Amino acid sequence: MPHITVEYSDAVTDAFDRPAFAKDLHEALVTIAGGRAAGCKTRFVRLDETYLADGSPHHAMIHAELALFAGRPPEVKRELTGAVLALLRRHTAPTPALELQFSVDFRDLDRDAYAKHDEPRVTV
């Protein structure tokens, strides 16, 4: 169920190991928040244009937004966002030419308003 969107500046494309980050993130979601690995969905969005701080090109960012069903206590949310921040830093190679900002946000999804449909896989 967890939906994760990760936006990142184009300048960090080569430095950010997205597959390794997603693998470790899904494991953290299961361990910390009780999610199901089979339900985790992580989308990466490369931002071709960002304006950070004073607009100079040496600024870059990676921002992760986590969306899970409501009901987790604040301490679980804090532990999860802290773990995600650490994973972002671990899976991003040093970028000395950039001033890189990492951030994480958590939002609750309303279980009553969420809709989903799984299309069965057809095997030929």
Side-chain angles (χ1 to χ4, degrees):
M1 158 58 240
H3 287 271
I4 305 97
T5 303
V6 182
E7 298 176 326
Y8 61 97
S9 299
D10 181 57
V12 298
T13 298
D14 294 336
F16 182 27
D17 186 349
R18 295 174 300 283
F21 167 77
K23 179 185 178 298
D24 287 351
L25 171 63
H26 292 187
E27 290 173 6
L29 282 162
V30 170
T31 302
I32 297 169
R36 290 182 322 106
C40 292
K41 299 162 192 71
T42 298
R43 297 178 301 279
F44 294 98
V45 181
R46 186 184 71 230
L47 304 171
D48 295 329
E49 186 174 355
T50 57
Y51 189 97
L52 303 170
D54 62 2
S56 63
H58 73 274
H59 292 287
M61 48 121 349
I62 303 176
H63 174 75
E65 182 176 285
L66 314 174
L68 285 80
F69 283 137
R72 287 166 180 82
E75 53 275 3
V76 169
K77 293 177 184 180
R78 279 191 297 275
E79 182 180 357
L80 187 56
T81 56
V84 173
L85 188 60
L87 289 172
L88 286 171
R89 296 184 68 206
R90 181 182 315 147
H91 291 293
T92 305
T95 53
L98 297 174
E99 185 173 316
L100 184 54
Q101 299 176 12
F102 297 94
S103 59
V104 181
D105 187 25
F106 185 105
R107 67 182 174 93
D108 289 320
L109 291 176
D110 182 346
R111 189 178 300 271
D112 295 328
Y114 181 80
K116 175 184 174 183
H117 171 78
D118 289 325
E119 194 66 35
R121 190 173 128 196
V122 177
T123 312
V124 187

